[in-house]
Amino acid sequence: MGLNIIILAAGEGRRMRSRRPKVLADLAGQSLIGHVLDRAREFAPERIRVVVGHGADAVRAALPDTVEAVYQPQQRGTGDAVAHALEGLAADDLVLVLYGDVPLVQTATLAALADAAAHADCALLTVALGDPRGYGRIVRGETGGIERIVEDHDASAEERAIREINTGLLAMRAGPLAQHVAALDRDNAQGEYYLTDVIGRVRASGGRVDGVQPDFAWEVQGVNSRAQLAALERAWQRHLAERLLGDGATLRDPERIDVRGNLTADPDAMIDVGCVFEGVVHLGEGVEIGPHCVIRDSVIAAGTRVHAHSVIESGDIGRDCEIGPFARMRPGVRLAEGAKLGNFVETKNADIGPGSKVNHLAYVGDSDVGRGVNIGAGSITCNYDGRNKNRTIIEDGAFIGSDCQLVAPVRVGAGAWIGAGSTITQDAPAGQLTVSRTRQKSIPGWKHPADREGE
């Protein structure tokens, strides 16, 4: 007996008002179907099959090679979609049916659904909603068991008063599922083959249908419009914020944080308002992130402070560093313990040594900066010659004055001083002052051109 997962992703999603297929819409930095695939892969199933239809080429292009795409030429309902995906599965295989536009169902919920199917003829994921309009209602029998599902379009007034709804996610054996799907008809208001009609057929044949409920209602919320997408984004962000709070982090306002990937934080880390975290980010103990920062794919060690409006595109940041405000770390930057990047400093592909300072209005790229170096305001490394990127090496204890240009490839020796306003094109020896500037002179009797008129 193997596990197979079918993901339905053939719908058009007209209410999204988008040229892209609905399942490719972004939620928390990832496509809707990307979220579903992440959950599916956690179960290491024998197969993952995605049923595609509208925008099939675009959806196929977004799928990894390990996922099978099954084409549904006409969108004739969920029952028809599942029928296309069941071919070749062993009768005893367990099939888990998921939806590409229901992105946030959690692993524990899916595990409970699969486990319930092992003890019943069919397991169904249901949830009670305060406003169940638009959803298929769960009709239970006198003993409380699930008897059938009635779609909102076809429900009576009494049935529409039921708050427990069908999420569409179910699990059952491939053989019985294929038999019931093959027997479906389109005698309903939409003229479609409803997968939900399988439940009534299972019951009619004497089978047992068990229901499983998620821990959170947002797990089973689908996305059919931009408004629903925005609401689900906020629900997910609130959940992630609560997780961070539980781990001991401080959030100045849990409603004003956006995590678009995987953010973890050690106790006493603090995040101010309006911050965005992308990719994989870890904040060490006591790290402070100021307001309106963007941080991507970075590890920030304990005690470091990132001031307001700083952008870290990827970084390996040591303990007790200080960054910003308005600093930008581009990919490939490593800050050693106690290093400092001040306001309006940009770095790229650079190692900044312990205790070194790049305080303000500077650019350091493709560089190795030693311990205890000071780089003055307005100084830059000229690392690109029009064809190649070249490296600048600044050794321990060097002092770079303001408004200097270090034209790579070049080396500044240990303890060297570079006079303000210098353009350095050759290696500067250790322990010496190197100056490259024209001699200052004053011109007696000089007048502004406007003052010369009439002379």
Side-chain angles (χ1 to χ4, degrees):
M1 179 188 72
L3 172 65
N4 295 272
I5 295 178
I6 296 172
I7 302 172
L8 306 187
E12 183 175 356
R14 294 179 183 176
R15 283 187 281 166
M16 293 291 289
R17 297 289 190 92
S18 175
R19 295 181 181 180
R20 294 190 305 165
K22 176 174 61 173
V23 297
L24 299 184
D26 181 272
L27 186 146
Q30 188 176 21
S31 68
L32 302 182
I33 197 167
H35 285 278
V36 182
L37 288 170
D38 280 352
R39 298 291 81 72
R41 284 191 287 258
E42 290 182 16
F43 291 88
E46 291 187 358
R47 300 176 188 85
I48 300 175
R49 287 180 171 172
V50 176
V51 181
V52 299
H54 176 75
D57 290 342
V59 177
R60 282 195 191 98
L63 301 177
D65 294 338
T66 55
V67 172
E68 302 174 36
V70 178
Y71 184 59
Q72 183 188 19
Q74 293 179 290
Q75 281 71 70
R76 302 189 301 175
T78 52
D80 182 61
V82 169
H84 279 80
L86 287 171
E87 185 178 349
L89 301 187
D92 197 41
D93 281 356
L94 182 63
V95 174
L96 196 59
V97 179
L98 311 180
Y99 287 75
D101 60 356
V102 182
L104 296 182
V105 61
Q106 298 296 284
T107 305
T109 299
L110 294 180
L113 184 63
D115 184 65
H119 301 90
D121 297 282
C122 178
L124 189 64
L125 193 62
T126 74
V127 67
L129 298 179
D131 182 3
R133 285 178 296 178
Y135 294 95
R137 309 303 202 277
I138 300 296
V139 179
R140 293 184 177 269
E142 294 180 358
T143 61
I146 295 176
E147 294 292 331
R148 62 190 175 90
I149 301 170
V150 59
E151 293 298 325
D152 189 66
H153 302 285
D154 307 308
S156 65
E158 182 180 0
E159 289 166 338
R160 287 197 178 109
I162 298 171
R163 293 178 56 203
E164 186 182 14
I165 63 98
N166 170 44
T167 68
L169 282 73
L170 62 80
M172 64 183 298
R173 303 282 175 218
L177 178 58
Q179 293 173 6
H180 290 307
V181 165
L184 295 177
D185 59 48
R186 295 195 286 176
D187 185 18
N188 52 63
Q190 296 293 96
E192 295 183 347
Y193 295 102
Y194 289 154
L195 181 62
T196 51
D197 288 347
V198 166
I199 305 306
R201 295 188 59 82
V202 171
R203 290 294 298 123
S205 64
R208 171 181 154 194
V209 180
D210 283 352
V212 173
Q213 290 75 41
D215 291 332
F216 306 99
W218 49 256
E219 290 186 53
V220 294
Q221 288 178 5
V223 173
N224 294 299
S225 68
R226 302 279 186 175
Q228 289 178 342
L229 178 63
L232 191 55
E233 175 85 38
R234 293 329 310 162
W236 179 239
Q237 294 299 338
R238 178 68 196 193
H239 174 72
L240 296 178
E242 290 174 352
R243 183 186 296 173
L244 288 165
L245 293 168
D247 290 339
T250 294
L251 305 183
R252 293 300 187 201
D253 185 349
E255 300 295 336
R256 289 190 285 171
I257 181 174
D258 284 272
V259 179
R260 300 169 187 169
N262 182 19
L263 170 64
T264 55
D266 291 338
D268 295 319
M270 189 283 292
I271 301 170
D272 214 322
V273 301
C275 293
V276 177
F277 298 89
E278 301 177 345
V280 179
V281 177
H282 178 73
L283 308 180
E285 184 175 353
V287 166
E288 296 183 11
I289 308 297
H292 306 292
C293 293
V294 178
I295 299 176
R296 177 187 307 127
D297 292 325
S298 298
V299 175
I300 304 178
T304 287
R305 300 177 65 192
V306 181
H307 296 284
H309 299 282
S310 294
V311 176
I312 300 174
E313 297 181 34
S314 72
D316 180 4
I317 301 169
R319 298 175 62 93
D320 300 318
C321 293
E322 192 165 357
I323 300 168
F326 296 98
R328 182 186 180 194
M329 288 178 58
R330 292 166 60 193
V333 176
R334 184 187 67 86
L335 298 187
E337 181 175 355
K340 180 178 180 180
L341 303 182
N343 47 296
F344 301 103
V345 167
E346 180 181 355
T347 55
K348 177 192 74 72
N349 194 25
D351 285 348
I352 311 295
S356 289
K357 299 177 182 180
V358 190
N359 276 325
H360 29 246
L361 300 164
Y363 170 71
V364 177
D366 296 290
S367 300
D368 296 309
V369 179
R371 177 186 298 270
V373 170
N374 184 89
I375 297 178
S379 292
I380 65 170
T381 58
C382 305
N383 53 312
Y384 184 52
D385 63 9
R387 292 186 178 181
N388 301 304
K389 297 291 181 68
N390 299 297
R391 202 98 184 145
T392 296
I393 299 174
I394 305 174
E395 296 182 354
D396 295 352
F399 185 97
I400 312 299
S402 297
D403 196 29
C404 291
Q405 299 84 46
L406 307 180
V407 183
V410 71
R411 177 186 294 268
V412 177
W417 283 63
I418 306 298
S422 295
T423 298
I424 303 300
T425 59
Q426 301 179 43
D427 291 354
Q432 296 184 27
L433 170 64
T434 298
V435 180
S436 170
R437 58 170 79 124
T438 58
R439 183 179 297 275
Q440 179 174 318
K441 62 180 180 179
S442 300
I443 302 174
W446 178 87
K447 293 182 180 181
H448 191 279
D451 296 331
R452 299 175 188 168
E453 294 180 4
E455 288 186 1

mmCIF file of all heavy atoms in Angstrom, residues 84 145-146 168 229 301 317 329 342 364 376 450:
data_model
loop_
_atom_site.group_PDB
_atom_site.id
_atom_site.type_symbol
_atom_site.label_atom_id
_atom_site.label_comp_id
_atom_site.label_asym_id
_atom_site.label_seq_id
_atom_site.Cartn_x
_atom_site.Cartn_y
_atom_site.Cartn_z
ATOM 1 N N HIS A 84 -9.102 11.873 -14.003
ATOM 2 C CA HIS A 84 -7.940 11.961 -14.880
ATOM 3 C C HIS A 84 -6.646 11.579 -14.151
ATOM 4 O O HIS A 84 -5.693 11.109 -14.788
ATOM 5 C CB HIS A 84 -7.796 13.391 -15.426
ATOM 6 C CG HIS A 84 -8.682 13.680 -16.592
ATOM 7 N ND1 HIS A 84 -10.015 13.982 -16.452
ATOM 8 C CD2 HIS A 84 -8.426 13.715 -17.942
ATOM 9 C CE1 HIS A 84 -10.544 14.196 -17.650
ATOM 10 N NE2 HIS A 84 -9.609 14.042 -18.569
ATOM 11 N N GLY A 145 -22.932 10.498 12.098
ATOM 12 C CA GLY A 145 -21.995 10.195 11.028
ATOM 13 C C GLY A 145 -22.277 11.016 9.784
ATOM 14 O O GLY A 145 -23.405 11.495 9.568
ATOM 15 N N ILE A 146 -21.264 11.191 8.955
ATOM 16 C CA ILE A 146 -21.427 11.949 7.712
ATOM 17 C C ILE A 146 -22.204 11.096 6.714
ATOM 18 O O ILE A 146 -21.826 9.964 6.397
ATOM 19 C CB ILE A 146 -20.064 12.348 7.126
ATOM 20 C CG1 ILE A 146 -19.342 13.323 8.078
ATOM 21 C CG2 ILE A 146 -20.231 12.994 5.747
ATOM 22 C CD1 ILE A 146 -17.948 13.692 7.625
ATOM 23 N N GLY A 168 -13.288 19.975 0.769
ATOM 24 C CA GLY A 168 -12.875 19.358 -0.485
ATOM 25 C C GLY A 168 -11.715 18.401 -0.338
ATOM 26 O O GLY A 168 -11.460 17.588 -1.219
ATOM 27 N N LEU A 229 -7.374 36.378 -0.896
ATOM 28 C CA LEU A 229 -5.919 36.208 -0.833
ATOM 29 C C LEU A 229 -5.322 37.118 0.236
ATOM 30 O O LEU A 229 -4.478 36.693 1.042
ATOM 31 C CB LEU A 229 -5.303 36.496 -2.198
ATOM 32 C CG LEU A 229 -3.777 36.412 -2.300
ATOM 33 C CD1 LEU A 229 -3.295 35.002 -2.019
ATOM 34 C CD2 LEU A 229 -3.315 36.876 -3.687
ATOM 35 N N ALA A 301 23.933 37.169 14.279
ATOM 36 C CA ALA A 301 24.331 36.625 15.577
ATOM 37 C C ALA A 301 23.899 37.542 16.719
ATOM 38 O O ALA A 301 23.514 38.701 16.530
ATOM 39 C CB ALA A 301 25.840 36.386 15.606
ATOM 40 N N ILE A 317 26.316 37.604 9.595
ATOM 41 C CA ILE A 317 26.592 38.756 10.445
ATOM 42 C C ILE A 317 26.945 38.283 11.845
ATOM 43 O O ILE A 317 26.178 37.552 12.482
ATOM 44 C CB ILE A 317 25.366 39.699 10.476
ATOM 45 C CG1 ILE A 317 25.064 40.166 9.038
ATOM 46 C CG2 ILE A 317 25.620 40.887 11.393
ATOM 47 C CD1 ILE A 317 23.749 40.871 8.902
ATOM 48 N N MET A 329 23.223 45.796 2.491
ATOM 49 C CA MET A 329 24.155 44.688 2.338
ATOM 50 C C MET A 329 23.671 43.831 1.180
ATOM 51 O O MET A 329 22.637 43.172 1.278
ATOM 52 C CB MET A 329 24.227 43.853 3.622
ATOM 53 C CG MET A 329 24.945 44.526 4.763
ATOM 54 S SD MET A 329 24.941 43.496 6.270
ATOM 55 C CE MET A 329 25.734 41.992 5.694
ATOM 56 N N GLY A 342 27.550 51.995 8.717
ATOM 57 C CA GLY A 342 26.724 53.125 9.114
ATOM 58 C C GLY A 342 25.673 53.487 8.086
ATOM 59 O O GLY A 342 25.341 52.712 7.174
ATOM 60 N N VAL A 364 31.754 49.485 -0.335
ATOM 61 C CA VAL A 364 32.828 48.500 -0.236
ATOM 62 C C VAL A 364 32.350 47.237 -0.943
ATOM 63 O O VAL A 364 31.426 46.555 -0.474
ATOM 64 C CB VAL A 364 33.179 48.193 1.234
ATOM 65 C CG1 VAL A 364 34.256 47.106 1.295
ATOM 66 C CG2 VAL A 364 33.661 49.448 1.941
ATOM 67 N N GLY A 376 36.538 55.977 5.797
ATOM 68 C CA GLY A 376 35.906 57.272 5.983
ATOM 69 C C GLY A 376 34.748 57.534 5.048
ATOM 70 O O GLY A 376 34.515 56.825 4.059
ATOM 71 N N ALA A 450 30.398 86.391 -14.058
ATOM 72 C CA ALA A 450 29.339 87.412 -14.075
ATOM 73 C C ALA A 450 29.855 88.770 -13.660
ATOM 74 O O ALA A 450 29.300 89.828 -14.048
ATOM 75 C CB ALA A 450 28.194 86.975 -13.167
#
